[in-house]
Amino acid sequence: MAELNVEPKKNRPIWIWLVLALLALLAIIFLLRGCDDNDVDRDMDTDTTTATTAATTAGATTGGTTGAMDTDNRTATDADWDDIDRNAPVATYQEITDRDVTVRGNDEYAIYSVDETILFGTDSKEIRAEAAPKLKQVAQSLSQRYNDGQIRIYGYTDSKASKNYNEQLAEERAEAVRNWLTQNGNISADRITVHAVGEADPAATNQTAEGRQQNRRVEIVARRGN
């Protein structure tokens, strides 16, 4: 009877099992950390989205409010002056007797015009001494008829110099008139605003000396209070 030679089964070294167990442990740790990172990312994305949405909503709300306020301000201020007709009929005010002062308007507003040559010297922003009686009549009329209203002073020039120079000169002259009215005409400064138009809105042609003289002017516009 033949003999069967069976070799005994060899046991694997224990270190192999240790390595396999360590690798499995590392794999489990890696997977767990990956899940945690995903959760954190989702939380951060959610928080960021929520914050962005809130900020956008707040911005939209603020923007809407600001827009409404701008519209209200426009309605309450500038829009009230859009209906001023520079070619309104001449108004006769008994207190205005100086022929160098003209008044146009209606029951709601008045435009007092004084020729630039009466108020200022050439390229000057200093009010002439002889202009004082004319401005005094304007101040008295403003106090008598528009004591509770707002006043705007517009400065105009011809187009001979540069646009920037004309705007600066127009502003300085309008400022000089405002200062005179507040210091000598007893008109509160918070009722008066200055608007430098410069050469932008000519009353006549700039091609003739006569037209340029008409364009160099200061207009004092007053509205009745609400």
Side-chain angles (χ1 to χ4, degrees):
M1 184 174 178
E3 294 183 0
L4 297 176
N5 294 324
V6 179
E7 295 183 359
K9 187 176 180 180
K10 296 181 179 180
N11 294 327
R12 294 182 180 179
I14 191 170
W15 63 268
I16 295 178
W17 296 106
L18 292 175
V19 170
L20 292 175
L22 181 60
L23 291 174
L25 181 60
L26 291 175
I28 292 173
I29 293 174
F30 179 80
L31 291 174
L32 291 176
R33 291 187 61 183
C35 294
D36 291 340
D37 289 342
N38 290 336
D39 291 339
V40 171
D41 290 341
R42 282 194 297 270
D43 291 340
M44 292 179 64
D45 290 342
T46 301
D47 293 341
T48 302
T49 302
T50 302
T52 302
T53 302
T56 302
T57 303
T61 302
T62 303
T65 302
T66 302
M69 291 176 65
D70 289 343
T71 301
D72 292 342
N73 288 337
R74 170 70 182 172
T75 301
T77 55
D78 292 342
D80 289 341
W81 300 82
D82 289 343
D83 60 352
I84 300 293
D85 182 8
R86 262 40 184 206
N87 297 315
V90 174
T92 302
Y93 289 173
Q94 294 180 351
E95 68 274 13
I96 300 294
T97 59
D98 195 307
R99 63 181 181 179
D100 290 326
V101 180
T102 60
V103 185
R104 295 180 179 273
N106 54 32
D107 293 337
E108 296 300 322
Y109 62 83
I111 305 170
Y112 300 82
S113 297
V114 185
D115 190 275
E116 170 261 355
T117 58
I118 303 297
L119 293 175
F120 306 98
T122 303
D123 291 331
S124 173
K125 61 181 179 180
E126 303 297 329
I127 294 179
R128 295 175 182 268
E130 53 267 31
K134 307 174 192 302
L135 290 176
K136 185 175 182 180
Q137 283 194 7
V138 173
Q140 290 174 344
S141 181
L142 290 171
S143 298
Q144 177 180 331
R145 298 176 183 271
Y146 300 95
N147 191 41
D148 58 346
Q150 293 297 307
I151 301 168
R152 288 189 172 192
I153 301 177
Y154 295 86
Y156 298 86
T157 67
D158 60 28
S159 61
K160 290 190 65 175
S162 68
K163 180 179 179 181
N164 290 338
Y165 175 83
N166 288 334
E167 287 182 355
Q168 180 178 355
L169 181 61
E171 182 175 5
E172 290 173 346
R173 287 179 168 178
E175 286 278 3
V177 173
R178 180 178 69 172
N179 292 339
W180 195 99
L181 292 176
T182 58
Q183 296 170 9
N184 303 286
N186 296 322
I187 297 178
S188 177
D190 59 8
R191 294 176 53 203
I192 307 177
T193 57
V194 168
H195 301 266
V197 182
E199 64 186 64
D201 189 13
T205 179
N206 280 299
Q207 302 304 314
T208 65
E210 181 181 356
R212 289 192 295 271
Q213 181 176 343
Q214 294 181 49
N215 293 333
R216 298 189 297 267
R217 66 199 190 279
V218 172
E219 292 181 349
I220 303 168
V221 185
R223 292 191 67 96
R224 295 195 184 281
N226 295 327

